[in-house]
Amino acid sequence: MSEIVPKNVSILLVEDEILVAVLQKKQLENFGYSVHHAKTGEEAVQLIAQAEVPLLA
């Protein structure tokens, strides 16, 4: 069974291990997600703060 990924769905992946992050990012992209990677929590917060689109809770 294949699942349908809604259009324009982005995921913020926070992972400090580069190899793990690369593998997870590739797998998520294969499912149709747009993936942004941050190495630290601080970097993730900065990316969220700079986002032009408000985040949903």
Side-chain angles (χ1 to χ4, degrees):
M1 176 188 334
S2 66
E3 294 185 28
I4 299 173
V5 177
K7 292 182 181 179
N8 301 323
V9 174
S10 294
I11 294 177
L12 176 56
L13 173 65
V14 183
E15 177 59 62
D16 63 343
E17 294 290 333
I18 299 301
L19 182 57
V20 173
V22 168
L23 294 173
Q24 289 177 339
K25 185 175 188 281
K26 183 67 173 173
Q27 188 174 24
L28 289 166
E29 288 173 340
N30 286 341
F31 281 106
Y33 294 99
S34 173
V35 181
H36 306 278
H37 174 236
K39 296 176 190 169
T40 65
E42 291 84 7
E43 186 179 341
V45 170
Q46 288 177 349
L47 288 172
I48 292 169
Q50 295 171 357
E52 295 178 7
V53 178
L55 301 173
L56 300 176

